[in-house]
Amino acid sequence: MAKIAMLGSGFIGRFYADSLQGYRSRDKIVSIYSRRTESAQRFAEDYKVAHHTTNMEEAIANPDVDIVCIALPNNLHEAAVMLCCLHRKAVMTTKPLGRNAEEAKRMLQAVEQAGIFNGYLEDLVYTPKFIKALESVKEGALGRILWAKSRETHPGPHSDWFWDIEQAGGGCILDLGCHCVEITRSYIGKDIKPVEVMCWADTQVKPIDAEDHAIGLVKYENGAIGQFEVSWTFRGGLDLRDEVMGSEGTIWINSFLRTGFDMFTSGKGANYVAEKAESNTGWLFPVGDELNELGYNHMFMDMFNAMEAGEDPKETFYDGYVVNCILDAAYRSAKSKLWEPVQLDIWRGKTGVTKDSHLTEYDADHYLVKEEVTHYGAKKVILKNKKTGKIVERVME
Amino acid sequence: MAKIAMLGSGFIGRFYADSLQGYRSRDKIVSIYSRRTESAQRFAEDYKVAHHTTNMEEAIANPDVDIVCIALPNNLHEAAVMLCCLHRKAVMTTKPLGRNAEEAKRMLQAVEQAGIFNGYLEDLVYTPKFIKALESVKEGALGRILWAKSRETHPGPHSDWFWDIEQAGGGCILDLGCHCVEITRSYIGKDIKPVEVMCWADTQVKPIDAEDHAIGLVKYENGAIGQFEVSWTFRGGLDLRDEVMGSEGTIWINSFLRTGFDMFTSGKGANYVAEKAESNTGWLFPVGDELNELGYNHMFMDMFNAMEAGEDPKETFYDGYVVNCILDAAYRSAKSKLWEPVQLDIWRGKTGVTKDSHLTEYDADHYLVKEEVTHYGAKKVILKNKKTGKIVERVME
Amino acid sequence: MAKIAMLGSGFIGRFYADSLQGYRSRDKIVSIYSRRTESAQRFAEDYKVAHHTTNMEEAIANPDVDIVCIALPNNLHEAAVMLCCLHRKAVMTTKPLGRNAEEAKRMLQAVEQAGIFNGYLEDLVYTPKFIKALESVKEGALGRILWAKSRETHPGPHSDWFWDIEQAGGGCILDLGCHCVEITRSYIGKDIKPVEVMCWADTQVKPIDAEDHAIGLVKYENGAIGQFEVSWTFRGGLDLRDEVMGSEGTIWINSFLRTGFDMFTSGKGANYVAEKAESNTGWLFPVGDELNELGYNHMFMDMFNAMEAGEDPKETFYDGYVVNCILDAAYRSAKSKLWEPVQLDIWRGKTGVTKDSHLTEYDADHYLVKEEVTHYGAKKVILKNKKTGKIVERVME
Amino acid sequence: MAKIAMLGSGFIGRFYADSLQGYRSRDKIVSIYSRRTESAQRFAEDYKVAHHTTNMEEAIANPDVDIVCIALPNNLHEAAVMLCCLHRKAVMTTKPLGRNAEEAKRMLQAVEQAGIFNGYLEDLVYTPKFIKALESVKEGALGRILWAKSRETHPGPHSDWFWDIEQAGGGCILDLGCHCVEITRSYIGKDIKPVEVMCWADTQVKPIDAEDHAIGLVKYENGAIGQFEVSWTFRGGLDLRDEVMGSEGTIWINSFLRTGFDMFTSGKGANYVAEKAESNTGWLFPVGDELNELGYNHMFMDMFNAMEAGEDPKETFYDGYVVNCILDAAYRSAKSKLWEPVQLDIWRGKTGVTKDSHLTEYDADHYLVKEEVTHYGAKKVILKNKKTGKIVERVME
């Protein structure tokens, strides 16, 4: 059983609490910290939390607490982490880890120096679909991974602090790109070094200082490409999709808007309000159990199982740090209009990986370009002569 | 915390165990009964169960046990339930409750007389999609429910006993129809009396005595129609879909083959074996977390929460009994080729409900047939004169 | 080049004209008949038709006319057909052929006696998807056909005469069921005799005398089952779907609401009105080219090609007659609540076909029930002993 | 009636001929040129073409010919166009117009100087789905267009010349990117100037000199972004999808792999070979009428209607030229790793367009960031103070 101090009683804190306590879980929130008393109180009532406070350190230091869960605006992560180090409490923090790689690196070094359990709450690599997809990829069902794209777009976040670049540290690249980068990095291989980033970003619709739309490419040492598409200007709900291309296969995942649940309502029947949807009449696409589909349940399961086993969870502060480094490069690229190198002071994966070969042997003299069955049922191969480079076609009987 | 005796170590018993113990659950299987020692032993090892036995009564009577979970072939349900009554242990049993209404009725009366907690493990009314859909229906998003269809078809069950009419009690009507009937009955209203059933059934493909394909219509007292489509001859995987039509809306749920997860694999990459799919190359449609998508997690959550609260779960033996009564009528109809009445000796819902009116008032003299916007943007109404019955069209400015 | 007299200038007449003249066609409407002068005139202008009239016989007798296209309410088909016979003009008529089998039979006998070309405009067996699907079925991709379902439901027809049982001859069974019956009959085999029909029908929502919702099962001599689901009460647009189950495969066709074209609009941008949709904001599912998707283009191509070649088109009055016979049985069944025989005075397909066997040989002593690959990769067969009937399981190495 | 000389008897020439003559068209191919006699002869027989030749000029100069249709490898377009100019024959050519902007410009200038009708056969802006989608966009259903992406990927072309960089002029960027660029440019507005391009390209799988995978971003003067994703390494068939984001809406189009037609076949029934699919068993996704879905029919209709009316078709050599200019910039960018300017010597659209404002007025003091309905049904606005830049939240009653 894990006993948790929750820092933050807002949208994400409540989402986490629903996952932590909403099922037949053996885990329990024992202390809630919020910046406002009423909010802390209401949370404590709603989730039957024994202790509430407006003093962050008090929540962390509470002797009942095994692990601290940070669900605060981005600019408060570092201070909270440092208190966890001080009091030697296990800590897990919401995404992104820092507002930039510098903050992230300090947090990483602090938790490792303090020797405390640290988890990075990147829920979207814990969705049931992702978990199964990654297994397939690891078993080789897609062959060599060539490209992995993740897209997260919606009409903008709910809370005001996201829209304030000082508190948030950035716009949709930081808010949504952190998910996409970790998803695609996982498909390509977390031990493969991200090398450089090209990013376009703009503020197209919202009257804000940060970007509300961005597209980025992340090049990895083995020649694979990661892509993120993020926006706060998308119309139609929450668009959450991944695509992976491998030399032997393809994966398409749609996590939200088309998951096999379609509903039409004229709106006459009742004043029905659908969650997160942009309308409450016409064709709607609900998700059965959001907490599960968004990966919260499997994420916390991994966190607590790892903590109890004295192991690292699948996602640690180190992963959060790598993500911040990639996003920093994206921000630099959006300004410089150049491919920007990913500056990784700390790198624990493989080094010196080279690009995979694109030369498939056919016979002593030829490479295989393509093999196909023609309309009339014959097998055809297109070959390239190794010496002359000439392309030839051969129809087999 | 619930302490469970599992009866049965086969396919469904393991599925249940994965759900009961696979997450951060506070519940625990403490005894396993199987007809074969090796099987009991292996289950005990796999799920870390303290006690295993080939004596059913021993598992039930075990003083550590709070609740018994029956995961046995259909012909053994009654005997197991009777032992639970004898030892006054809470009981929950897999679907269908009995092989027919007679068995089901005896079990229902026994548990009620014994005063023990009883749950009917109809997982498909606990899927996250179904739960949310039913909420919408109850809030009125679909208006008056007119028709609800559920379809479950696949290439046939895994275990041999299903194919033996004596052990199973029937074919796909009993095996799959029990799900479909409870799903559609829930949408229409569990307090609305099922009145009569028309069913076609045949053995089209399999060399068995029971039916391998059937379609049935269930008429309810309020004029709504339930429909089931079941088969063991479907090719392409597990087809699990519901459709609901209401006067104000529509719901379409696809629980398995099209849930937003598409994968193509050439099969060259690895010897990848996909679960429950009919092939392991080409386009595949995996499900992220089957236990969750099939409702097991939410089902057991409801069972244990209800038991702890001293309340009835959403699905009790009474529901299992009603389902058996409807299926009995379906079997009779398949033979007699007539609409057969549903014989409900015990009925606890509404009585004397009449058909909903199909006369929508337009004005003093007319009923409204249809209202629509024409190509050129005008509003058009089609009306029926209350006295003459004449249909007229009116275009509004 | 075909020169056409169009009878009827309403919704369906215009739809036909758009198909006949909307592309680079060599065919031309040369005369238009309408019951109202203004309507005939407007049609003549819109489609550049040389001759317009309110005298039906004048349009038919027009010496320029090669072929007459009947696009009139159901109660006027017979009179129009008789005039075509009188003037020995080729004729093609919209669906259904008659309001009942009696009318249809008289029309069939009249055109055959007159020796004139006759085409039955059942567009939905000419959709590009259907054509390709049927080809696959004929090539054996689905094995033996077990069940074919067609569903057509929408919120009710546009024109007032449909709602008047005298002019229409029936409700949604006649209006929509005629499509579904011919679709499913085509998959099962047009030479296989339909034997009997079970139908449920009701008036659930609309204040009319005819049925607004019906479900029917049609049993064929070889044991295959056709199913139709029709309604004028569906909410959400035009639902047009077919499903086919064969012993070796499955086909699912969605012709309207989910065809790979999704649009979301807030409605703020413009006063956009989507065709046939129930709303003009939120998620909409347009169809690219309705005329093509609904089969009109391929239907008229077959009609004119056949006429020029002196052959029968794919769909003749005979097909229309068979459909009317099946629908008559459906209406009788909806009243009698019995499986009603299909009364086919004229039958030109196979006779004495028996049910296909469901006994798949495995070896001298066993039938094969099921073959599958287990979780751990072994091949498992479930067999039935031919003599004892006992079911056994064998795991192969 | 149009009388056509077809240059080229290969895959695309036959595809065109099927569209030109496969329906009830009034148009006719009267001459066929092929480099090989047997091929010319076979084509002439298959399509009942009166005249066949291996002399290109002979086909063009043929006095029966009204219009020349170029269906040749990329390196032969220019020579063919020049002969059309010489003989003053109307000309339409397959995509891309040239192997680069230089070739394209010469062809454009030649046809304009000769004063002949010229059409650019970019079929994918003529698909029924695209046509309807573009109409919606022009009517404002999506508001201001922010981003338009087109993706075309498949396992590689059928003919050998595509794989030879000399004949083809490039790899998948030229072969597939030309489609994507014209599609996205059409959504954004063909009168809006493309400004600069960033492109990643690589040869990941095929043993060829050209790229087999590329992703590009095209920036337009109004701040909108076009995106192309192209590959010859995709596994699973032909992936053809467009996505458009506007300030008021979204469009998603899937033209091939998910169009409402699903088929499963065990492969036992027959030796069924599906077109363009990578496998012929398992789940397959056929397209009903490829010619129609790929836009060929509507494309030729526009071409001939325009020619007869003495007007320009929707797509002319000028459009082909603009596309080549954009692709040239993409190739430069793939090498330089910089955003490369689009060098448009000839530009006929708007100039000096500025970026659309992202400041939505709320009241005198505030801009509107977001408006939403909260969980508890209240309306909430997030605002930005015009002077201070401060973000505030207001809940309305």
Side-chain angles (χ1 to χ4, degrees), chain D residues 64-78:
Chain D
D64 278 354
V65 166
D66 297 332
I67 182 164
V68 176
C69 180
I70 300 175
L72 298 165
N74 299 346
N75 58 330
L76 305 176
H77 291 190
E78 189 173 0

Side-chain angles (χ1 to χ4, degrees), chain B residues 7 31 53 61 121 154 158 168 170 177 210 222 228 258 303 378 381 391:
Chain B
L7 310 187
S31 177
T53 173
L121 298 179
H154 58 56
H158 300 293
N222 65 352
F228 60 83
R258 298 291 183 276
M303 291 293 154
V381 289
I391 302 285

Side-chain angles (χ1 to χ4, degrees), chain C residues 81-82 84-86 88-91 97 103-120 311-322 345-349:
Chain C
V81 166
M82 295 307 165
C84 293
C85 292
L86 185 66
R88 306 213 164 253
K89 290 291 171 79
V91 61
L97 180 56
E103 279 190 10
K105 188 177 166 189
R106 282 195 303 262
M107 288 188 253
L108 169 61
Q109 291 178 323
V111 292
E112 295 195 338
Q113 215 167 332
I116 58 177
F117 174 91
N118 58 93
Y120 174 54
E311 291 168 0
D312 280 344
K314 220 168 68 174
E315 293 284 311
T316 65
F317 275 30
Y318 171 68
D319 296 298
Y321 162 73
V322 174
D345 299 345
I346 306 171
W347 174 246
R348 294 167 180 172

Side-chain angles (χ1 to χ4, degrees), chain C residues 1-2 21-27 128-130 132-133 135-137 139-143 247-255 258-273 275 283 286-290 292-293 297-298 300-302 304-305 308 371, chain D residues 1-2 21-27 128-130 132-133 135-137 139-143 247-255 258-273 275 283 286-290 292-293 297-298 300-302 304-305 308 371:
Chain C
M1 179 190 171
Q21 300 193 167
Y23 301 85
R24 296 284 298 171
S25 171
R26 72 180 80 127
D27 308 308
K129 282 173 182 167
F130 178 87
K132 194 165 245 179
E135 261 169 41
S136 302
V137 165
E139 283 165 4
L142 265 62
S247 54
E248 298 297 334
T250 297
I251 283 176
W252 291 338
I253 288 182
N254 196 326
S255 296
R258 297 293 184 274
T259 63
F261 189 167
D262 302 14
M263 181 161 91
F264 178 87
T265 175
S266 72
K268 275 185 203 161
N271 189 17
Y272 177 75
V273 177
E275 270 176 88
W283 281 106
V287 162
D289 179 350
E290 269 188 45
N292 195 70
E293 294 306 311
N297 299 344
H298 289 80
F300 286 123
M301 179 161 67
D302 178 47
F304 297 138
N305 286 352
E308 287 172 8
E371 184 178 328
Chain D
M1 179 190 169
Q21 301 193 165
Y23 302 84
R24 296 283 299 170
S25 171
R26 71 179 82 128
D27 308 308
K129 283 173 181 166
F130 178 87
K132 193 165 245 179
E135 263 171 38
S136 301
V137 165
E139 283 164 5
L142 265 61
S247 55
E248 298 298 334
T250 296
I251 282 176
W252 292 338
I253 287 182
N254 196 327
S255 296
R258 297 293 183 274
T259 63
F261 190 168
D262 302 15
M263 181 160 91
F264 178 88
T265 173
S266 71
K268 275 186 204 159
N271 189 17
Y272 176 76
V273 177
E275 270 176 88
W283 280 105
V287 162
D289 179 351
E290 270 187 45
N292 193 70
E293 293 306 310
N297 299 345
H298 289 80
F300 286 122
M301 179 162 68
D302 178 46
F304 298 138
N305 285 352
E308 286 171 8
E371 183 178 329

